[in-house]
Structure formats: structure tokens, C-alpha cells
Amino acid sequence: DMQMAWIKRQIHPHVERIGAHEDPMAALAHQSYEMVRDSVLQIVDTSFGSGYLAIIGGVQINMPSPCDDHFLPCMFEVRRQGEDVQSLQWTFSAP
């Protein structure tokens, strides 16, 4: 289908690097995140009014039972028209 074809085109330039990585599945997940992030950021539009737009992105980690699934946050930004992007990624850091 069209979605899978797009994914394959985006991953193809990175196949060698991903395959050579110590953990290829983790490298694939991070590369997949980056390609989706880049696509989302191309269509972000803050011209909807005076409010803020929050963008959170990351990697969903599905674990086998009985373990809980996890979300690895890779981006947390707040945007507003006419203002600099505010990164709030630090809020996910351990103290």
C-alpha cells in the first residue's frame, strides 16, 4: 500500500547503518521516529490564532506480558505564531 511504500522509501537510505548498529531494531525505531517527526514538522501551522501548539513525539515500546509498555519521549515543543519554538524536552529528564 501507499503507506508502506513511503516507509520503505524513507528507510532505504539508512538500511546499511541500521543493519550495522549494535541493536538494529532500536536503530530502526529511532530512524522511523525521525522520518515521521520530519514529516510532521513540515506541516505544522501556528496561524490558527493566538493560542499555543504543543507537539510531543517519541517511540512507543511494546513489551511482552507481564511487562508494561513504555513511551520514550524524544520531543516536547510548544509553538506559537511569531514566537521562537520552546523546547520542553527537559521536563522528561530525571532530577
Side-chain angles (χ1 to χ4, degrees):
D1 69 10
M2 289 178 56
Q3 186 177 20
M4 185 54 76
W6 180 83
I7 291 169
K8 288 178 180 179
R9 280 193 315 274
Q10 298 299 311
I11 293 294
H12 185 266
H14 307 282
V15 168
E16 190 172 316
R17 177 182 53 79
I18 291 168
H21 194 274
E22 177 183 338
D23 188 344
M25 292 304 288
L28 176 60
H30 283 280
Q31 183 60 47
S32 297
Y33 160 75
E34 289 179 18
M35 66 188 205
V36 170
R37 178 203 60 207
D38 293 346
S39 293
V40 168
L41 293 179
Q42 286 180 4
I43 62 169
V44 166
D45 183 6
T46 57
S47 63
F48 56 82
S50 60
Y52 291 90
L53 175 66
I55 305 171
I56 299 176
V59 177
Q60 178 68 33
I61 304 169
N62 299 315
M63 300 295 293
S65 189
C67 301
D68 292 331
D69 292 342
H70 296 278
F71 179 72
L72 175 64
C74 298
M75 179 178 70
F76 181 16
E77 295 180 351
V78 175
R79 294 170 178 240
R80 187 177 196 186
Q81 188 173 15
E83 296 182 11
D84 291 338
V85 174
Q86 298 175 44
S87 174
L88 300 176
Q89 183 64 26
W90 60 270
T91 62
F92 293 115
S93 301

